Amino acid sequence: MKWLMTRRVRSNSLTLAVLLAALCILCLFSMGRKDVQNPNHSSLSRLTRIGYDDIDGPEKACNCTAILEGKPEALNEAKILTMHKSFIESLRIPDHFYVNASKDCTNFKMSRKYLTFPLSREEEHFPLAYAIVVHHKAQNFERLLRAIYAPQNIYCIHVDLKAAPSFFDAISSLASCFPNVFMVSRREKMIYNSWSRVQADINCMADLMATDVAWKYFINLCGQDFPIKTNLDMVRKLRVLDGANSMESEAMSAGKLSRVQFVHKLVYGYWKADGGKKKGPPPFQLPIFTGNAYILVSRAFVLSVLEDHRILALIEWTKDTFNPEETIWATIQRMPGVPGSTWTSSKYDMTDMNAMARLVKWSWHEGERSSRQAVYPPCQGSHVRGVCVYGAGDLHWMVAQQHFFANKFDTDTDPVAIYCLEKYLRQRVLAQLREEN
């Protein structure tokens, strides 16, 4: 009898163990299904572990939340901070730091908090291509790269041939840590207002087209740009464009006509008119439009730039004009048959405030909203050649705009502005992942 009771206990224990094992398997299966149904689950947990306190930022010295809300007290405190040279110096990172730090790429990417995994399937299946033209301040560039980096995207970096060797070494060392970041195959010697700025972008366009990445849109930047949208924000807006391009393109004003009416050449290091020598008419009687150097264009547009015989003829005609980066893209955008282009009618003119590519404050367009001539509020930072170098006080207005990027930022002028903007973007990324979950 005792033996029988012992056998029954063992049998019941075995049955209970089997039931518990089955329940565990069922739970694991359910968890697995949950992760499959929600691909962002692991991304969210990994991103949460990365954290958001910027290792370069004045975390304890300023209140970014209040700054983004435009609170006067927080803005005044930030302004006072940037007036102290010692504060600026304490956050400066020399170029050689990146050469040494990138010798251990794994540690570099982890310590600098790069997002090295796709944050969503939507972004993973819509890769972007970047061309970034730089000539100094590796710290500015590295913060820009970190803010826009995603493993599914691809990045072509053009360093001015005139740049200091220490700067080139810093950028190439950085690029070597990422399989999807590369140095352009042909560098240009950048001359202000000359064709070299456009050629640098075209060189990157050709290199990007030669990669295996099936990127959808091309975005060109300089080292003092910074995003004001997350990668997911950009992808969703570009999906809505559905192959259309977004850039400034307007009829050329009378004051700018001389730029394309006379031949220009390099004179003692400056791009100047060649003794009043007049140019012939544009090829195919193309009307010339004006815009700026920065564009959001489809892959098909880029292919046309490299292959369309009309565009190739226009490129040759434009090479000896003044400030060609402000005419070439705007003109191609109005050419019939170019993918994503628009008609030449003035009804299709697009200003820089309506184009999504880049937000810039020019000093002559600043003013109070009550002024009929003002386009945007006064710069809260400083000005360089008429362009606002943003301060922390510009952020509240800036993040409400539709643009993808803003220019100019400078860590040597207002590191608080970049720090708070990057923190805002990281927090927005986390919020977007939580919404998806």
Side-chain angles (χ1 to χ4, degrees), residues 84-94 139 411-412 415:
H84 291 279
K85 188 176 180 180
S86 59
F87 171 73
I88 301 293
E89 290 291 339
S90 70
L91 298 174
R92 183 172 290 147
I93 300 177
Q139 183 178 3
T411 52
D412 290 341

Side-chain angles (χ1 to χ4, degrees), residues 19-276:
L19 286 172
L20 286 172
L23 283 171
C24 287
I25 293 170
L26 185 61
C27 287
L28 289 171
F29 178 72
S30 297
M31 289 171 64
R33 286 193 60 185
K34 187 176 181 180
D35 283 343
V36 170
Q37 291 169 350
N38 190 353
N40 293 329
H41 178 75
S42 59
S43 295
L44 179 60
S45 60
R46 292 167 73 187
L47 188 60
T48 302
R49 289 198 300 272
I50 288 175
Y52 284 92
D53 293 342
D54 191 324
I55 54 178
D56 307 330
E59 175 65 26
K60 297 179 181 178
C62 63
N63 184 340
C64 285
T65 301
I67 287 172
L68 266 295
E69 292 173 355
K71 299 291 180 61
E73 184 178 346
L75 294 176
N76 289 336
E77 290 174 356
K79 193 79 171 179
I80 291 170
L81 275 176
T82 58
M83 293 170 65
H84 291 279
K85 188 176 180 180
S86 59
F87 171 73
I88 301 293
E89 290 291 339
S90 70
L91 298 174
R92 183 172 290 147
I93 300 177
D95 291 356
H96 64 77
F97 164 84
Y98 297 105
V99 176
N100 295 327
S102 56
K103 289 177 180 177
D104 183 346
C105 290
T106 301
N107 182 65
F108 174 78
K109 287 184 281 189
M110 183 179 298
S111 65
R112 303 297 292 172
K113 301 178 183 177
Y114 279 81
L115 303 180
T116 56
F117 50 91
L119 298 182
S120 67
R121 287 180 180 173
E122 187 175 0
E123 294 170 84
E124 187 176 8
H125 296 159
F126 202 95
L128 307 177
Y130 284 90
I132 309 176
V133 175
V134 290
H135 68 282
H136 69 164
K137 298 188 178 181
Q139 183 178 3
N140 273 4
F141 166 78
E142 194 264 336
R143 295 191 71 128
L144 168 62
L145 179 64
R146 180 171 59 179
I148 63 174
Y149 184 79
Q152 70 274 8
N153 295 340
I154 188 162
Y155 306 82
C156 173
I157 314 302
H158 180 285
V159 176
D160 187 347
L161 266 175
K162 304 193 310 298
S166 60
F167 176 77
F168 178 81
D169 290 344
I171 303 305
S172 57
S173 297
L174 277 171
S176 68
C177 277
F178 303 91
N180 54 335
V181 180
F182 64 90
M183 307 298 285
V184 69
S185 60
R186 177 184 155 196
R187 295 166 64 195
E188 302 292 329
K189 183 179 180 180
M190 307 297 281
I191 306 296
Y192 191 60
N193 293 325
S194 77
W195 177 257
S196 58
R197 175 66 187 82
V198 182
Q199 190 62 54
D201 278 341
I202 291 177
N203 293 349
C204 267
M205 285 178 171
D207 287 351
L208 288 164
M209 287 297 299
T211 67
D212 294 332
V213 179
W215 51 269
K216 310 296 184 182
Y217 267 82
F218 169 89
I219 302 171
N220 61 341
L221 303 172
C222 75
Q224 289 188 280
D225 291 328
F226 210 79
I228 58 178
K229 296 287 185 290
T230 67
N231 190 76
L232 181 59
D233 290 331
M234 296 183 201
V235 165
R236 286 176 173 172
K237 286 198 171 191
L238 291 172
R239 282 187 180 278
V240 172
L241 283 183
D242 192 27
N245 309 310
S246 185
M247 71 181 80
E248 181 183 2
S249 181
E250 303 177 89
M252 182 169 282
S253 64
K256 292 182 177 181
L257 284 175
S258 62
R259 297 181 176 189
V260 295
Q261 288 177 332
F262 297 95
V263 173
H264 290 72
K265 67 177 184 179
L266 194 63
V267 180
Y268 299 113
Y270 296 94
W271 197 248
K272 294 184 176 181
D274 185 12

